[in-house]
Amino acid sequence: MSGSAQVHPIRRALRHWRWVWRQRRNWESPGRFLLLHALVWLGLNERAVFRYQGARFRLYDTTLTHLMFFHPTRWHGAIDLALLRQLLRPGDTIVDIGANVGSHAIPLAKSLGASSPVHAFEPHPRVFAQLQANARLNRLPNLYLYNLALGDRTGEVAFTDVRSDDYNRVLPDGAGALTVPMTPLDRFEPLADAPITLLKIDVEGYEPFVLRGAEATLTRTDFLYLEANAMHACEYGVSVQDLADSLRARGWTLYRVADSATLTRLPERPTVTEWENWLAARSTDALRERLAGRGVRILPDDE
């Protein structure tokens, strides 16, 4: 082997670690950022368990898990949780569609306690296995997991399979190596006729199709927390405006989640450059009652 061939891996490693060192300053916990990259480089990351939002998680090499580990209170998922914990109460029923590794479902199931059933849906089989492993670490009898996609029809759907990223989603052209089972939420027997406090939907632009398959379920749901993803919605032939219009037509009042302590009324024609989170309330009075004295402003209603 020539000298030049031997030095290439060393140069690659040096470039990688120079990049890691420069990037560390961008994150809430620079030390954890460095530790993560060291553990992944050594192949030891999945043996590590860390605490996030009062629950335990394995250190998987996925984007979302990375943020939970070294950016634990400042990434958008932590902002979601801070707001949802002000909204929810023990005894509430939560449905999490697009649960991923459990970043929302597991902390909520743990903090709300055994009286609050939390139903978590994750269609991708590899990510679902990670969700299961995280759930086992926390031993939550009120957490129910389903390896299933939800949409507007029954059957199978093509899905992306990107190993380096856990934001996999339905393939709009219907062609892919990975297929997963799909059903409308209205036909999902374990939740038939059950009142739902919060329906959280984060499915990378596929939200309108999930809602189409949940018409009956929505009539017994109090609040929606959903992602408005302008980047991906257009690939399915829909838009965030379509999403807002369809919810308003069904009587929902929509709020943009500005931060964990501020909700702003969504304008009639919202501009979403990439993506953002919306909270929808069937009753604005119920929303105000839930958040009263909790340090959350509702604008412009509270102005």
Side-chain angles (χ1 to χ4, degrees), residues 13 17 20 56 64 75 87 91 93 132 150 170 187 233 295-296:
W17 285 105
V20 169
R56 302 172 73 212
L64 190 147
W75 76 293
L87 179 69
T93 297
Q132 286 181 306
L150 294 174
V170 171
R187 296 184 186 177
V296 179

Side-chain angles (χ1 to χ4, degrees), residues 1-16:
M1 182 180 293
S2 69
S4 60
Q6 291 176 350
V7 78
H8 287 166
I10 297 173
R11 286 178 178 170
R12 284 197 298 270
L14 288 174
R15 282 198 299 268
H16 170 73

